[in-house]
Amino acid sequence: MTVVNRLLPMLALLGALAVLGLALAWLVKADAPMPGEVAVRVSLGDGDAASAGSRIVAGPGAGIPLQATLDFDLPASSNGPRVLWLPREPLQSLQLSGKDARGQPWTSTPDGFFAPKADDGFSPAGYAVVLPEGLVGPQRFQLNAHSALQAALTPRVIAIDGALRLTAREMVFASALYAAWATLLIASLALYWAVRDVLFLAHAAYTLTALVFMAVLQGHLYALPGMDAMAGMGMRGFWLAVLLFNLCSLWLVLQFVDAGASRSRQVRRLPMLLPVVALPIVLAFLPMPSASAALQVAAPLAWMLSAPASIWAMLDGARRGIPMALAAATLLVALLLAAIAHMAMNRGVLVDGMLVRHGYQVVLVLFSLVLFVGLSSRVGMVRRQLDDETSARRDSEARLRHEQVRTRLTQSLQQVMREVPEDRIAHAAFRLLGAHAGELLGTEDALVLGDDYLGDGKLFVQATAKTTTTARAVQAARGLVRDHARNREPVEVRLAAGRRSDDPGDGNYLIVPLRVQAPAWAALVAPVRRMLAAEDKAALVQMARTTVEQADAAHAAFLLRRTAERDALTGGFNRRTLDQLAARECKLAGNHKPLAVLFIDLDFFKRINDTHGHPCGDECLRKVAATLRAELRPQDVFGRYGGEEFLVLLPGQDAASARLVGDRLREAVEAAVVDWQGESLRFTISIGMAVLREGDDPEKLLARADKALYRAKREGRNRVCAAPAYVD
């Protein structure tokens, strides 16, 4: 924890105590006697009330009648009428009666806590009864009221300007409280909107509940239009506001200190108090008199449970290092003491005054402010959490995008590698790599350079057909790219005129080496127009690795097929493959297309082996195969059928064309020379030719060509003999 974080709770506590001291000093000063105030003597009639000098202590219980006789002596004054002032306690009704200056009976306008007079405005400060004008000397008035709650009332007879000053003082104090609550409410909602932390929304709900709670305690809520239903509930509505605020306060405190995360088992169990505290709320909605009486007991008990629990939770939070928890606990203790003082005042133990009457309200505002400051310290943490979540979401989206691009690349490679010719494997694979790397980087200029990969000399493969500025710059820096390709690690370089540059104005390029078998090399090169994350480079490396693996696998598959299909000595197809191709060509030729077959045998080949040895015979076979292949079309099928025998399939050739091909092959072999150990060897071939006829299968076609070959042998060799179409 930083020094600032350690000092913040202490500074906030000292600031709160300073504000509290100033507020209390103002309240003490506000208790100074009013100008022209006269002493009032109180004597009580029947009712559950007692006299305490100049005070009336009303007993508990809604609707209890309270009758008191007020005696005072009014001096002659030029300051206008006098006012009987009573603090605004929850009295269901209040009326003053006596005689006016002429001795006639006089009764004041009825007043009450839940039904304020119209001229009291929206924030009645107290019960102000204007006495009849012209009264001088000893006076006696009767006060008739119905007490809704145990309270100590101190009647004061003051001049009209004193009453106005009292009203103004109460209004200023109430306005300051409401302004403080409204500011906290707006600030809490603003922070919730900014960081979306539910605790700020909880603090806003708590503040709103406190605002209503204060308006109910001071009777201001009932002066607002549309509050008839609330006023009709009487004391049940009063206790409902108390219970709701108590419940909301306890819940916010437990959320603030995160009681569930405490190491203390007892603190972790504190949330179990919430249902207990909430249970009396049900009584507020029951209209029976017994429910109202039960509320008189249940609401204070709920408060007595919540206050110590909140202090305990805050102290535990302070031990766990929660910001402002210690300051909040201190103010909770001050709030508890102020509330006890207020209750003592209502029982006549302490003298009524602004300090005792409103002190707990000031402490409550300060406590709420400290809670807000503590929650505000979470803004940085919440911001970091939001940033972490945003970063994690961005990383997740980037990983998903990378994975999608890699998946599409893999699928494209698998499809293309099955169809591409052997000599186009590298070009096709690298073109796909460039296209998908460009998609990931947001460019169309990605390309691949390399040498000697899969038999290709100089590789230069672009993702697009057009030659771009990137292509020209990379071509000019081919040597630099080769050096970085052999380092095996991705690198960003600036290029200018084919060389590395340190000028920020020159183009920046990413070089991703492709892990190919040395001495070959290859690298993916793409322009970089934004800051690349490590994940982007890792994705490109993975894509490059996948491309090389797919290309190597495709090339290996070609080599495997070639080994299985080809004759190792001559490079032509082997007998098994020739039989399969013959069956395929016969099937294709069955659609009324001609097909000819040539059976070829070297003349006197045994003599060559016996005279010069088998290595010489192998060299002669290779020479013959190369000579024959050079005279055939790409679509013609050539292979070694066995020993010194070769087979040629001529799709689309009839008998006349096949004979011409056979003669050309024979003449080419006759002209060929094999140099063997200083000796020039010449040889000839015999050819048997057959043309596919209706009803032929591959076996019959090859059998007729074989018979024609034997005929050519018998007739003197070095010739072409055709099998008659009608001969079996």
Side-chain angles (χ1 to χ4, degrees), residues 90 113-114 205-222 227 229-231 233-250 277-278 280-285 295 299-300 302-303 306 360 364:
F113 187 79
F114 303 107
Y206 157 81
T207 306
L208 181 61
T209 308
L211 190 62
V212 175
F213 170 64
M214 286 298 171
V216 169
L217 287 187
Q218 301 186 78
H220 297 163
L221 184 72
Y222 306 107
M227 291 292 110
M230 189 69 178
M233 293 182 69
M235 282 305 295
R236 289 185 294 113
F238 180 92
W239 290 119
L240 176 62
V242 173
L243 288 169
L244 286 175
F245 175 71
N246 185 55
L247 176 64
C248 192
S249 301
L250 178 59
V277 173
I281 293 176
V282 179
L283 298 173
F285 297 96
L295 276 172
W303 177 81
S306 300
Y360 75 96
L364 186 58

Side-chain angles (χ1 to χ4, degrees), residues 96-100 103-108 132 139-143:
L96 188 66
S97 61
K99 292 182 179 181
D100 59 17
Q104 299 296 321
W106 173 87
T107 303
S108 67
Q139 304 293 328
R140 172 168 288 187
F141 283 83
Q142 298 295 323
L143 177 66

Side-chain angles (χ1 to χ4, degrees), residues 413 416-417 420 423-438 444-454 456-468 470-472 474-475 478 481 514 521-527 547 551:
L413 285 170
V416 171
M417 292 298 99
V420 70
D423 59 344
R424 300 296 297 174
I425 289 177
H427 284 80
F430 291 156
R431 190 177 300 278
L432 288 174
L433 173 61
H436 287 81
E444 295 181 353
D445 294 340
L447 54 88
V448 175
L449 291 181
D451 281 336
D452 302 325
Y453 179 60
L454 301 186
D456 284 308
K458 287 188 177 297
L459 275 170
F460 176 77
V461 184
Q462 292 180 265
T464 58
K466 61 182 180 180
T467 301
T468 62
T470 297
R472 289 190 289 269
V474 173
Q475 280 183 308
R478 187 181 187 91
V481 173
L514 305 184
W521 67 271
L524 169 69
V525 185
T547 302

Side-chain angles (χ1 to χ4, degrees), residues 39-54:
V40 178
R41 297 178 299 278
V42 178
S43 58
L44 300 179
D46 296 334
D48 189 8
S51 174
S54 60

Side-chain angles (χ1 to χ4, degrees), residues 360-413:
Y360 75 96
Q361 299 176 8
V362 176
V363 179
L364 186 58
V365 171
L366 289 177
F367 168 74
S368 304
L369 178 60
V370 166
L371 277 186
F372 179 78
V373 173
L375 290 177
S376 299
S377 66
R378 294 169 51 91
V379 172
M381 179 185 68
V382 173
R383 273 294 181 193
R384 287 192 297 272
Q385 290 177 347
L386 291 176
D387 291 342
D388 292 343
E389 291 174 1
T390 302
S391 178
R393 183 170 60 253
R394 189 183 302 114
D395 292 343
S396 178
E397 291 173 353
R399 286 194 297 271
L400 178 61
R401 179 168 168 267
H402 294 164
E403 187 61 34
Q404 290 174 341
V405 174
R406 287 200 300 267
T407 300
R408 288 196 295 270
L409 172 62
T410 302
Q411 293 173 345
S412 300
L413 285 170

Side-chain angles (χ1 to χ4, degrees), residues 26 30 34 83-86 88 119-129 156 158-175 218 220 354 358:
W26 185 85
M34 292 291 103
V83 175
L84 175 69
W85 177 275
L86 289 169
R88 198 162 190 86
D119 57 359
D120 285 337
F122 292 114
S123 57
Y127 301 104
V129 181
R156 301 173 69 178
I158 55 180
I160 190 69
D161 58 342
L164 293 176
R165 290 176 61 180
L166 276 176
T167 302
R169 186 181 300 159
E170 292 282 351
M171 290 181 63
V172 168
F173 179 78
S175 299
Q218 301 186 78
H220 297 163
M354 290 284 287
H358 298 302

